[in-house]
Amino acid sequence: MSDSHKFTPLALPPKVTLADFNKFIEEIITLVGVENVDIITSKDQIDDKSYMDPTYTHDPHHVMEQDYFLASAVVAPRKVSDVQAIVRLANTLSFPLWPISIGRNSGYGGAAPRVSGSLVLNMGKNMNKILEVNVEGAYCLVEPGVTFQMLYDYLVANNLQDKLWIDTPDIGGGSVLGNTMERGVGYTPYGDHWMMHSGMEVILPNGELLRTGMGALPDPSRPETAGLKPEDQPWNKTAQLFNYGFGPYVDGIFTQSNFGIVTKLGMWLMPNPGGYQSYLVTIPREEDLKLAVDIIRPLRLNMALQNVPTIRHILMDAAVMGSKKEYTSKTEPLGEEDLDAIAKKLKLGRWNFYGALYGPEPIRNALWTAVKEAFSAIPGAQFFFPEDTPENSVLRIRHKTMQGIPTYDELKWIDWLPNGAHLFFSPIAPVQGKDAMEQYAVTKKRCHEAGLDFIGTFTIGMREMHHIVCIVFNKKDAAQKKKAHWLIKTLIDDCAAKGWGEYRTHLAVMDQIMGTYNWNDGAFLKFNELLKNAIDPNGIMAPGKSGVWPRQYQKNQWKL
Ligand code: ADP
């Protein structure tokens, strides 16, 4: 076999020959070492694996064919200069790169690239240091491979938990940096991760290294910087304290985008509030979602609700505690009576509100009085603390999540159906009862038309709700998979027609969603394409991410 055909990946990117690929990958192997390169040459390598042992080759929750979005190779750079060298090489071939940090990105495409044959850059394998935890400033500086779990463990191991808390999403195995790049959320008062970032280090598509915000200002008090490579130089002392810096604020363009590869991120940590109490309010009737949301709005706006609380549908909680067949022999979507029976069995409401109080006891007591009084307007609402609930209750899990302790228990709802996989549909809604009811009605109806149960939660931000519909399907049932795909596509259009847009999405529907953000003749996409082509003239960086295609790709042919 000639050297130019030594490796034959299952997928090659457009216009890249096998000989080019071999030359490219040999150079990368020389650069990062063979132990940091996996070339996907056999179907045996395409294994869905599990959350705890994630795959990097494709999306384990495939809603299209398993290998529809497939890497040609997965490469783990050891350091910033490796990434820069790979980026420069990629430019010579217009070779698409797809950076990930941990690559779980569950429900949104996993580590899979939008363009098959892309090189998946596993930024997290080797670049996984917690570079700083600063107690006085209450912040940290992390590399891509730092997970929520690692950051939490670090605080515990260094006896810092009495000083600082982290914020974690529902499951703790994701990357702090990766999740923030996707504008993911958690459930403490610091739940909006993007809001809490300060200072980014980014490799641009031309290989140049950028620090944003106050990070653009060199630190004069550290003479030892002389001789250090830019990536190893200490940051300006205010870089993790003030995120805006001076001039155009560019940080946002690196999120949900394809404009750069982020190598370091500063994040604010929450000072230990000096007291904590989680609680559950059960809401017995489906239609009282309206009243609940209208009760929540003023409380959240004035921060009597201090954290990111959630209103969860009964099936979301039921699924954490058991699979569908543990509750019923039915395979069709469950009806009103079934849901009432499950709620009764679990001693939960048709909706369940999970919140928490933070601060010393007098503060918590005052807030609890306000919260309890407000929710008491809901007929039959009941109030619980964790110790009032069974050992396996969702409140006991949320008790940890809402104080930034990572957990894995909520992976369980994916097993609602056999061979369970999931896809998130996540439209934004005003914190208004009538909008919540309408969004629930539209999404539930379509779920049922697809033969699936509605499983969902409203996650309450400062002035809006991320309504997360968890589309759970049996990935070994081809017909059901098709229906799940139909469902998300239909929901995107239904919701756009009502003025609702999604905050984040799966690879398979990025184009469609970008198509809905089309005010004034698509000015938003046009501006992004202008930036894309200027910043990345060879179109190497994550082509197609969020529906933004570089000029090398005929977007009408690529659109899904
Ligand atoms: P998770 O934290 O769930 O494991 P990933 O590491 O898969 O998440 O990251 C989610 C998405 O965020 C990726 O698909 C990619 O679009 C973006 N992303 C992650 N890490 C980086 C990075 N270092 N630079 C640029 N984009 C990134």
Side-chain angles (χ1 to χ4, degrees):
M1 195 189 304
S2 79
D3 262 7
S4 62
H5 291 72
K6 188 168 158 197
F7 303 111
T8 310
L10 294 177
L12 274 178
K15 298 190 190 144
V16 172
T17 65
L18 192 57
D20 283 345
F21 175 82
N22 273 271
K23 192 160 166 286
F24 179 63
I25 208 75
E26 287 288 9
E27 289 192 52
I28 290 175
I29 291 173
T30 309
L31 182 75
V32 300
V34 70
E35 68 280 11
N36 288 313
V37 178
D38 279 321
I39 301 161
I40 318 309
T41 56
S42 151
K43 288 220 172 226
D44 298 341
Q45 287 164 277
I46 310 173
D47 177 347
D48 290 348
K49 303 217 249 179
S50 66
Y51 184 89
M52 290 309 190
D53 176 22
T55 175
Y56 300 98
T57 56
H58 71 292
D59 178 13
H61 298 278
H62 36 91
V63 71
M64 298 168 72
E65 300 91 85
Q66 187 192 35
D67 60 356
Y68 190 89
F69 301 110
L70 184 66
S72 56
V74 182
V75 170
R78 298 159 308 161
K79 50 186 195 274
V80 167
S81 58
D82 284 352
V83 188
Q84 290 174 301
I86 293 168
V87 162
R88 290 191 176 116
L89 267 177
N91 268 295
T92 63
L93 289 173
S94 285
F95 201 107
L97 305 175
W98 187 265
I100 55 138
S101 286
I102 292 292
R104 288 192 159 113
N105 204 22
S106 206
Y108 293 113
R114 175 64 180 80
V115 170
S116 269
S118 296
L119 186 96
V120 167
L121 267 183
N122 179 350
M123 295 294 295
K125 179 180 165 195
N126 302 312
M127 298 166 74
N128 57 8
K129 282 190 286 302
I130 297 168
L131 296 167
E132 183 180 5
V133 170
N134 186 300
V135 175
E136 291 74 31
Y139 66 77
C140 65
L141 182 68
V142 295
E143 290 188 328
V146 175
T147 64
F148 294 96
Q149 183 74 58
M150 283 165 68
L151 192 55
Y152 172 74
D153 289 346
Y154 178 95
L155 295 185
V156 173
N158 291 281
N159 289 322
L160 289 173
Q161 236 199 326
D162 62 334
K163 300 203 171 59
L164 296 173
W165 287 9
I166 71 158
D167 184 278
T168 177
D170 305 75
I171 312 290
S175 158
V176 174
L177 184 152
N179 183 277
T180 306
M181 286 311 104
E182 288 292 281
R183 306 197 291 262
V185 298
Y187 303 95
T188 73
Y190 279 35
D192 182 339
H193 293 163
W194 179 245
M195 189 189 284
M196 299 301 163
H197 95 284
S198 190
M200 304 165 76
E201 186 181 272
V202 190
I203 295 171
L204 300 174
N206 65 2
E208 199 174 3
L209 193 67
L210 171 80
R211 283 185 182 170
T212 66
M214 299 308 289
L217 193 72
D219 183 0
S221 67
R222 309 284 278 265
E224 71 272 25
T225 38
L228 284 181
K229 284 196 266 173
E231 62 267 32
D232 298 325
Q233 292 173 12
W235 287 62
N236 182 282
K237 284 198 190 64
T238 55
Q240 273 69 58
L241 300 175
F242 179 61
N243 71 29
Y244 302 129
F246 173 78
Y249 176 65
V250 297
D251 292 39
I253 69 166
F254 297 106
T255 65
Q256 289 191 11
S257 79
N258 45 18
F259 297 160
I261 302 174
V262 184
T263 49
K264 295 184 185 76
L265 179 75
M267 283 297 282
W268 289 351
L269 299 171
M270 177 171 144
N272 182 325
Y276 170 75
Q277 175 68 61
S278 64
Y279 62 87
L280 157 69
V281 184
T282 57
I283 300 158
R285 298 185 318 153
E286 181 178 61
E287 57 273 29
D288 282 336
L289 172 67
K290 181 171 189 296
L291 185 53
V293 170
D294 287 329
I295 288 170
I296 288 164
R297 185 182 52 259
L299 293 175
R300 182 73 178 113
L301 265 178
N302 67 22
M303 296 191 200
L305 292 173
Q306 300 157 288
N307 69 325
V308 175
T310 46
I311 315 174
R312 295 162 62 115
H313 186 264
I314 177 62
L315 286 187
M316 179 118 195
D317 284 5
V320 173
M321 284 178 279
S323 65
K324 183 166 182 171
K325 67 173 188 305
E326 290 168 60
Y327 294 97
T328 172
S329 56
K330 289 188 182 166
T331 53
E332 67 271 25
L334 300 183
E336 298 297 307
E337 283 173 17
D338 306 304
L339 299 185
D340 280 338
I342 290 175
K344 194 169 167 208
K345 178 174 171 200
L346 299 176
K347 297 195 173 59
L348 288 170
R350 287 289 294 271
W351 296 100
N352 298 287
F353 179 77
Y354 293 90
L357 310 159
Y358 303 81
E361 198 174 355
I363 292 179
R364 296 200 312 272
N365 287 343
L367 291 170
W368 184 230
T369 305
V371 168
K372 215 171 163 182
E373 198 177 293
F375 276 95
S376 295
I378 301 174
Q382 287 188 293
F383 301 83
F384 300 88
F385 291 147
E387 59 274 19
D388 309 325
T389 65
E391 284 299 320
N392 68 344
S393 74
V394 169
L395 179 55
R396 287 178 189 260
I397 303 168
R398 300 309 286 181
H399 178 72
K400 293 184 189 152
T401 311
M402 289 187 288
Q403 57 180 313
I405 301 176
T407 71
Y408 299 87
D409 309 74
E410 295 205 54
L411 284 170
K412 185 75 179 71
W413 59 252
I414 299 167
D415 301 327
W416 179 244
L417 297 179
N419 309 305
H422 74 294
L423 193 58
F424 284 124
F425 174 68
S426 346
I428 296 294
V431 193
Q432 293 280 353
K434 65 175 178 7
D435 292 271
M437 286 303 281
E438 202 180 344
Q439 225 173 65
Y440 170 55
V442 167
T443 49
K444 181 175 76 165
K445 175 172 160 274
R446 291 298 195 188
C447 286
H448 288 186
E449 279 172 32
L452 299 170
D453 288 307
F454 173 90
I455 300 178
T457 173
F458 289 91
T459 294
I460 298 143
M462 303 284 282
R463 281 168 172 73
E464 55 66 48
M465 302 191 289
H466 288 36
H467 178 196
I468 313 288
V469 179
C470 311
I471 303 176
V472 178
F473 59 97
N474 177 344
K475 66 181 167 187
K476 294 202 173 149
D477 177 338
Q480 195 170 80
K481 224 160 115 161
K482 257 199 171 137
K483 282 190 183 159
H485 196 184
W486 168 85
L487 173 59
I488 196 165
K489 287 195 293 188
T490 306
L491 284 174
I492 293 164
D493 287 344
D494 284 353
C495 286
K498 291 191 174 285
W500 301 324
E502 289 69 52
Y503 96 98
R504 178 181 182 185
T505 201
H506 186 277
L507 296 172
V509 286
M510 285 176 173
D511 296 305
Q512 190 188 348
I513 291 182
M514 183 51 97
T516 66
Y517 281 77
N518 61 7
W519 181 79
N520 194 18
D521 197 22
F524 179 66
L525 176 58
K526 282 194 254 175
F527 180 63
N528 275 293
E529 287 171 344
L530 195 66
L531 287 177
K532 177 68 181 164
N533 289 322
I535 295 171
D536 182 12
N538 296 314
I540 59 159
M541 201 64 80
K545 171 83 182 173
S546 297
V548 178
W549 293 94
R551 69 164 72 85
Q552 287 77 5
Y553 291 71
Q554 301 267 317
K555 72 175 172 193
N556 287 336
Q557 287 170 21
W558 281 89
K559 259 190 194 168
L560 286 175

